[in-house]
Amino acid sequence: MNSLREFLVQAQEHGQAIGHFNISELATLKAVFGAAQELKAPVMVGLSEGEREFVGTREIAAFVRALREEFDYPIFLNADHTHSLAKGVEAAKAGFDAIVFDLSALPFEENIRQTKQAVEELKAIHPGMLVEGEIGDIGTGSEIHDTAPDLEKGLSTPEEAKHFVESTGVDILAPAVGNMHGMLRSMVDGETKKHLHIDRIAAIKQAARVFLTLHGGSGTEDEGFRRAIAAGINIVHINTELRVAWRRGIEQGLAAHPEEVVPYKILPAAVDAVKHVVLDRLTLFSGGRKFAQGA
Ligand SMILES: [Zn+2]
């Protein structure tokens, strides 16, 4: 099995991005894996600190490893939005393939100092783990927001990106380029979309020369994704869209079987609803072509 790094290189050469989907229970994991298999797409599943607390760090690592081995399949596990070295060490010891070490809320130089230290300590434990750092402000919470944060102030610059990557040694950078965690209610209703700063992505890519992740992808216009990937985005995170689909699916499952108490008879509706979103997004990230499968 090729490493996540090799799949990222292959995807980049083919003008494609790898989809990253957050999970915090098995119905969503089943949906993500099922959709990826259908498209033969390499895929990343991510769990933030809160999601890992619910599922268990070692437990989800064992589950994903079992899928990878049983199906000989490129499914990779990411410790999304990790805010402390202690939580990062837990994920490294559990064998996660990647980590988002997110100190973007700290002053820039402090973010650099602590991220550099984390890169060194995490790679000493798990040399193959890819470490992602985050700069700028894209808001918090993959949920439905009533008001939009002011994203303009927190946008990343190419100079910052270059300085951060060179000072810390991160493998992957998450910049702020018009993306935002969560969705506005109007986005859930399909009335508005997020707009990405494509020129800024291209300039950051040229300056930083590392893999780039787009966080907070939910609710972005399709053309925005296509252009962002062409400009240098390698990983796209989708969470809120899955959560919205999951909830609607659960509601449908319960409504369709009002007396049912057997979880595996109610939950398939949620699996189907989430799978539909993942299929749609992965198809877009592939550029409508077969996914590169690595050398
Ligand atoms: Zn994120």
Side-chain angles (χ1 to χ4, degrees):
M1 176 66 59
N2 285 315
S3 65
L4 175 57
R5 182 188 293 279
E6 288 163 324
F7 275 95
L8 284 166
V9 168
Q10 287 278 320
Q12 178 161 271
E13 285 171 359
H14 287 75
Q16 299 173 320
I18 293 185
H20 173 291
F21 303 94
N22 288 72
I23 65 134
S24 52
E25 47 75 53
L26 292 182
T28 309
L29 177 57
K30 191 176 170 68
V32 171
F33 189 55
Q37 277 182 306
E38 216 163 281
L39 297 173
K40 296 187 165 55
V43 72
M44 293 175 76
V45 292
L47 295 89
S48 65
E49 282 186 5
E51 289 164 334
R52 300 205 292 280
E53 201 156 306
F54 186 73
V55 180
T57 300
R58 289 176 58 194
E59 289 75 6
I60 193 62
F63 207 103
V64 170
R65 193 178 305 122
L67 285 176
R68 193 189 310 195
E69 290 172 3
E70 182 176 346
F71 296 90
D72 189 26
Y73 199 88
I75 178 169
F76 299 101
L77 185 59
N78 179 43
D80 203 9
H81 296 291
T82 302
H83 303 291
S84 73
L85 188 53
K87 294 284 179 193
V89 166
E90 264 179 35
K93 285 185 175 163
F96 278 53
D97 301 288
I99 183 169
V100 176
F101 197 71
D102 176 9
L103 299 182
S104 58
L106 294 182
F108 188 59
E109 289 301 329
E110 192 54 26
N111 182 2
I112 288 179
R113 194 184 68 75
Q114 291 191 36
T115 301
K116 178 178 193 292
Q117 185 193 355
V119 169
E120 287 163 6
E121 296 202 21
L122 294 172
K123 286 189 186 273
I125 296 167
H126 179 1
M129 189 187 220
L130 299 184
V131 182
E132 175 174 328
E134 184 156 337
I135 56 172
D137 179 14
I138 56 169
T140 56
S142 295
E143 48 203 303
I144 298 165
H145 304 297
D146 289 318
T147 53
D150 181 5
L151 297 175
E152 297 299 315
K153 278 186 287 189
L155 288 173
S156 309
T157 67
E159 296 73 29
E160 269 172 357
K162 183 175 174 14
H163 179 49
F164 182 86
V165 167
E166 288 176 356
S167 308
T168 59
V170 292
D171 305 287
I172 308 171
L173 178 69
V177 289
N179 48 330
M180 174 194 113
H181 281 126
M183 292 169 83
L184 301 177
R185 203 161 290 284
S186 57
M187 292 171 179
V188 177
D189 297 336
E191 291 157 10
T192 59
K193 299 276 184 195
K194 293 176 190 171
H195 302 290
L196 302 174
H197 297 251
I198 304 299
D199 293 345
R200 191 178 287 265
I201 293 171
I204 288 172
K205 184 74 172 189
Q206 204 177 8
R209 304 202 162 275
V210 286
F211 298 123
L212 296 183
T213 297
L214 184 73
H215 282 254
S218 293
T220 303
E221 50 190 350
D222 286 2
E223 190 54 24
F225 277 133
R226 284 189 201 102
R227 294 176 61 209
I229 293 165
I233 291 290
N234 303 100
I235 301 168
V236 182
H237 281 223
I238 301 285
N239 190 354
T240 313
E241 286 180 2
L242 266 48
R243 290 175 166 183
V244 170
W246 176 85
R247 184 179 171 103
R248 287 180 181 158
I250 296 274
E251 286 171 349
Q252 279 166 10
L254 291 170
H257 309 281
E259 303 299 325
E260 188 57 76
V261 296
V262 179
Y264 61 74
K265 294 183 180 170
I266 296 167
L267 291 171
V271 174
D272 287 348
V274 173
K275 191 176 169 188
H276 184 81
V277 175
V278 178
L279 280 171
D280 199 53
R281 287 320 195 188
L282 282 177
T283 302
L284 188 63
F285 303 157
S286 74
R289 300 182 305 281
K290 206 170 148 300
F291 270 98
Q293 284 292 298

Short mmCIF file of all heavy atoms in Angstrom, two decimals, residues 22 80-81 100 102 134 138 142 181 215-216 237, ligand 1:
data_model
loop_
_atom_site.label_atom_id
_atom_site.label_comp_id
_atom_site.label_asym_id
_atom_site.label_seq_id
_atom_site.Cartn_x
_atom_site.Cartn_y
_atom_site.Cartn_z
N ASN A 22 -15.26 14.11 7.81
CA ASN A 22 -15.24 13.87 9.25
C ASN A 22 -16.31 12.85 9.64
O ASN A 22 -17.41 12.83 9.10
CB ASN A 22 -15.49 15.17 10.02
CG ASN A 22 -14.29 16.07 9.94
OD1 ASN A 22 -14.00 16.64 8.90
ND2 ASN A 22 -13.56 16.17 11.04
N ASP A 80 -7.88 15.51 13.05
CA ASP A 80 -8.27 16.85 12.63
C ASP A 80 -8.19 17.82 13.83
O ASP A 80 -8.36 17.40 14.98
CB ASP A 80 -9.70 16.78 12.06
CG ASP A 80 -10.02 17.92 11.12
OD1 ASP A 80 -9.10 18.68 10.76
OD2 ASP A 80 -11.20 18.06 10.75
N HIS A 81 -7.95 19.09 13.55
CA HIS A 81 -7.94 20.16 14.56
C HIS A 81 -7.53 19.72 15.97
O HIS A 81 -8.34 19.59 16.87
CB HIS A 81 -9.28 20.89 14.59
CG HIS A 81 -9.52 21.59 13.30
ND1 HIS A 81 -8.79 22.70 12.90
CD2 HIS A 81 -10.36 21.30 12.29
CE1 HIS A 81 -9.19 23.07 11.70
NE2 HIS A 81 -10.13 22.24 11.29
N VAL A 100 -3.75 17.51 11.90
CA VAL A 100 -3.86 18.96 11.74
C VAL A 100 -3.54 19.55 13.11
O VAL A 100 -4.34 19.43 14.05
CB VAL A 100 -5.28 19.38 11.31
CG1 VAL A 100 -5.38 20.90 11.25
CG2 VAL A 100 -5.62 18.77 9.96
N ASP A 102 -3.39 22.56 15.04
CA ASP A 102 -4.03 23.85 14.79
C ASP A 102 -3.87 24.81 15.97
O ASP A 102 -4.61 24.75 16.94
CB ASP A 102 -5.52 23.62 14.49
CG ASP A 102 -6.28 24.93 14.32
OD1 ASP A 102 -5.64 26.00 14.26
OD2 ASP A 102 -7.52 24.87 14.24
N GLU A 134 -1.69 25.33 10.56
CA GLU A 134 -2.79 26.20 10.12
C GLU A 134 -2.49 27.66 10.44
O GLU A 134 -2.02 27.98 11.53
CB GLU A 134 -4.08 25.73 10.82
CG GLU A 134 -5.31 26.49 10.36
CD GLU A 134 -6.61 25.72 10.56
OE1 GLU A 134 -6.58 24.46 10.62
OE2 GLU A 134 -7.66 26.36 10.65
N ILE A 138 -10.39 31.04 9.96
CA ILE A 138 -11.54 30.58 9.16
C ILE A 138 -12.71 30.20 10.05
O ILE A 138 -13.61 29.46 9.63
CB ILE A 138 -11.15 29.39 8.24
CG1 ILE A 138 -10.57 28.23 9.04
CG2 ILE A 138 -10.16 29.84 7.17
CD1 ILE A 138 -10.42 26.95 8.23
N SER A 142 -18.02 23.12 12.93
CA SER A 142 -18.65 22.62 11.70
C SER A 142 -20.12 22.41 11.96
O SER A 142 -20.60 21.30 12.11
CB SER A 142 -17.96 21.33 11.26
OG SER A 142 -16.62 21.60 10.91
N HIS A 181 -15.26 27.46 8.43
CA HIS A 181 -15.86 26.29 9.09
C HIS A 181 -17.36 26.50 9.25
O HIS A 181 -17.81 27.61 9.56
CB HIS A 181 -15.23 26.05 10.46
CG HIS A 181 -13.90 25.38 10.38
ND1 HIS A 181 -12.77 25.90 10.97
CD2 HIS A 181 -13.52 24.24 9.79
CE1 HIS A 181 -11.76 25.08 10.73
NE2 HIS A 181 -12.17 24.07 10.02
N HIS A 215 -9.93 23.76 4.33
CA HIS A 215 -10.88 23.41 5.40
C HIS A 215 -12.21 24.09 5.11
O HIS A 215 -12.28 25.07 4.36
CB HIS A 215 -10.35 23.90 6.75
CG HIS A 215 -9.28 23.02 7.31
ND1 HIS A 215 -9.49 22.17 8.36
CD2 HIS A 215 -7.99 22.86 6.94
CE1 HIS A 215 -8.37 21.52 8.61
NE2 HIS A 215 -7.44 21.92 7.77
N GLY A 216 -13.26 23.62 5.81
CA GLY A 216 -14.55 24.30 5.70
C GLY A 216 -15.06 24.36 4.28
O GLY A 216 -15.53 25.39 3.82
N HIS A 237 -11.66 19.43 2.91
CA HIS A 237 -12.41 18.96 4.07
C HIS A 237 -13.90 19.27 3.92
O HIS A 237 -14.28 20.41 3.66
CB HIS A 237 -11.95 19.67 5.34
CG HIS A 237 -10.68 19.13 5.92
ND1 HIS A 237 -10.51 18.92 7.26
CD2 HIS A 237 -9.52 18.76 5.33
CE1 HIS A 237 -9.28 18.45 7.48
NE2 HIS A 237 -8.66 18.35 6.32
ZN ZN B 1 -11.16 22.31 9.61
#
